[in-house]
Amino acid sequence: GNFDVWAKDGGHYVFGSDAVTYPPQACDTPGAGLGSRQAYRKGYNGTRQYSVYKLDTVIDPHGNQLRIEYDVKIRNEGCELRAFREAYPKRILYTTNPTAGDNHAEYEIEFKIRPKDADPKPEPLISQTGWQLYEIIVWYRPYSGAAAQRVRSYKFNYANYDAPQMYLLQSVQEFGKDGASALPPTAFSYLYSDSQKVGWKSNGGDE
């Protein structure tokens, strides 16, 4: 099941209340499911090695709720690691208040991801992620059933780094509600050394 955390100010945080559907065996067709709770299975017997509990609900002292949904991706590496999954935020919905009869979330933050070009599978890099965030879109729905209105969006641009399986965030740019007008991008620069060390560039120093 899930677990709950209460803050001193009365805030309530719920982790892992949405379970992921798993195939009966590691080599079976993967089960469908979006969720904040998942487990790594190894071998044909479906033994669970560890579990992941992600934040999915935030409730303030007045009953207002924020909901986080996840997009679960499967590592297709054969029977041994077939059910190893990565979970990324898919969307954030706010604000509802079910105890007051309000089940409509006016705002939605959508996270768009794409697979990386590099192969994330070989050992000992099993913990590396295989997907990257490329856009965040903020939507507004004034009432239930209304068409979503784009408020703003943010696009992330990456540069492939020479070291295997690494990406550098090159810039972030904010776009307006029309999806075309934009502010100048915020660019990032990095320090690169022959020892494959990457860090922030700050007055020529390594920090």
Side-chain angles (χ1 to χ4, degrees):
N2 61 282
F3 69 89
D4 302 85
V5 175
W6 280 268
K8 290 183 178 180
D9 63 1
H12 181 191
Y13 301 85
V14 184
F15 296 79
S17 66
D18 264 342
V20 175
T21 304
Y22 290 93
Q25 299 294 337
C27 286
D28 290 348
T29 301
L34 299 176
S36 56
R37 185 171 77 250
Q38 58 178 319
Y40 164 47
R41 282 180 164 183
K42 183 176 181 180
Y44 289 93
N45 62 1
T47 302
R48 297 192 179 194
Q49 302 295 322
Y50 64 82
S51 295
V52 177
Y53 291 81
K54 295 179 180 289
L55 177 68
D56 57 55
T57 308
V58 178
I59 308 170
D60 73 11
H62 306 289
N64 299 310
Q65 292 193 15
L66 176 151
R67 180 76 174 168
I68 306 171
E69 297 180 358
Y70 291 87
D71 190 358
V72 181
K73 303 297 184 182
I74 300 171
R75 288 267 186 89
N76 188 1
E77 302 180 36
C79 297
E80 285 299 307
L81 295 174
R82 181 65 181 263
F84 181 80
R85 296 170 180 237
E86 303 172 37
Y88 301 84
K90 181 179 182 180
R91 60 179 185 165
I92 298 175
L93 300 170
Y94 67 98
T95 304
T96 63
N97 194 322
T99 57
D102 178 12
N103 294 303
H104 170 63
E106 290 82 7
Y107 288 94
E108 174 186 343
I109 302 176
E110 178 186 8
F111 299 85
K112 303 183 76 171
I113 61 175
R114 62 191 172 200
K116 293 180 179 178
D117 293 333
D119 183 357
K121 300 173 185 176
E123 298 286 359
L125 303 175
I126 192 62
S127 63
Q128 287 198 352
T129 57
W131 298 72
Q132 66 178 199
L133 175 70
Y134 71 90
E135 188 174 13
I136 296 175
I137 306 175
V138 181
W139 301 96
Y140 172 67
R141 292 182 177 85
Y143 56 89
S144 181
Q149 304 171 19
R150 182 190 288 257
V151 178
R152 70 181 66 89
S153 62
Y154 303 87
K155 292 187 177 180
F156 301 79
N157 297 305
Y158 299 86
N160 289 338
Y161 179 54
D162 290 338
Q165 302 163 319
M166 296 184 66
Y167 288 79
L168 293 179
L169 178 62
Q170 204 167 35
S171 65
V172 180
Q173 190 169 18
E174 180 179 350
F175 289 79
K177 62 182 180 181
D178 60 359
S181 58
L183 295 173
T186 299
F188 301 90
S189 59
Y190 300 85
L191 176 68
Y192 169 77
S193 67
D194 293 336
S195 63
Q196 301 292 302
K197 184 178 181 179
V198 179
W200 294 108
K201 185 176 181 180
S202 177
N203 298 324
D206 181 7
E207 297 182 0

